[in-house]
Amino acid sequence: MPSAVREIKVKPMDHGLKSNVDFGATVHGIDLNKLTDSDFEVIHEALHKHKLLVFKEQPEMLLPTKQYELTRRFDPDETTGGFAHGVDPFLTSHNGVDIFGLPNRPAIPVQPQVHILGRGEVPENHYNFPPGFKVKGIDHRYFHLPPHLTDEEREGGKSRFYQWHFDAALYNIPPPRVGCLLAVRTPKGPDVKVEWGDGTGTEMSIAPGATAMVAGSRALELLSPELKDIVYNSKIEYAPHCFEWISTAHSTRLGHTIETEGLEKPLDQLKPWTQDKVCTYPMVWENPVTGEHSLQVHGQGAYKLFLKSSPDGEETVVSDLGEVRAFLHKLMRPTLDPSNIYAHRHEEQDVILWYNRALWHSITEFPESYGPRIMHQCNVAASDHPVAAKRKAL
């Protein structure tokens, strides 16, 4: 007898009347381990429309090889399989198998473009990792401006956004088009309360270990007409090896920019770099399928601004870091409000896929007593750098 025809359902998320979030959909009826060309056509259209897809009811855990296959399909012109962040260093070996990556981002040997993120011990016999191997988790105390949450506050369920960003190396390597995340192990416990820590008293209850997301389109929508004129005509130059550059500095407590304290690593002390590989990107990017525009700015890696309020207007170069960050705060802070944030509650074996060139995201902290958070992430360097969105005539 012929096999039953699978019914694929793409259901937009209902975020409630009090939410301004307008992205996200759940997908049923696609087995990502057995992805077909017709399945991908549905996924490609749905992702660009909804910007975030959650794949439910997967029969088995998504294999790393299949996770990479799904991710790279979005960029057929990318043929190198390049890492979105650069080449991984050697980390350890087990049973003659070399493992590359960082303690907080080890690569899976069978498919090194897929990394393990989270915190805690990986499952037993997990893709050639040594017994008892633990992934090092994030900790805002080593990156954020003090005062930090105390151990008692953290264990009691208080949390912080770690870093609002889109995935990108921001030097030489084009930012990925999509990101893909598989939940292998999720923390078990009550919801946590994220505190903004910026003096406003803003807070938000979310699932432990949730990935928080906002839409760049919403950020653009909230700008004044004057600021919209500027962002459509302006560019950001990112620092060379910007994550090494900010490694000695403090993030704001909200995780969207860097505090200007003069603590950045001097450029002449970074690993070798050349000016021709420095990334200078427009502030507004366009969805190639829907034509939607998104404000895509990385507040922590920004080094210099080239500001214009019209295509033929006079350009102002802003190189003072305090002024650069104050301007980006003005662009980013309005959308970093609970009404604009979707915090995804990961469920084991589910897969999320997001359009990296239209959303910002942040990981969040949770009590260690809730157990491990083990995620498989895949993003691949794109074949192209972003180009400026063309503003529609009013």
Side-chain angles (χ1 to χ4, degrees), residues 157 161 191-196 203-208 210 338 343 345:
F161 297 117
D191 286 359
V192 299
K193 187 168 288 185
V194 180
E195 296 184 343
W196 265 234
E203 56 186 27
M204 179 182 185
S205 292
I206 65 171
R345 184 185 296 270

Side-chain angles (χ1 to χ4, degrees), residues 64 70 142 144 348:
L70 167 63
Y142 299 109
H144 284 200
E348 292 176 5

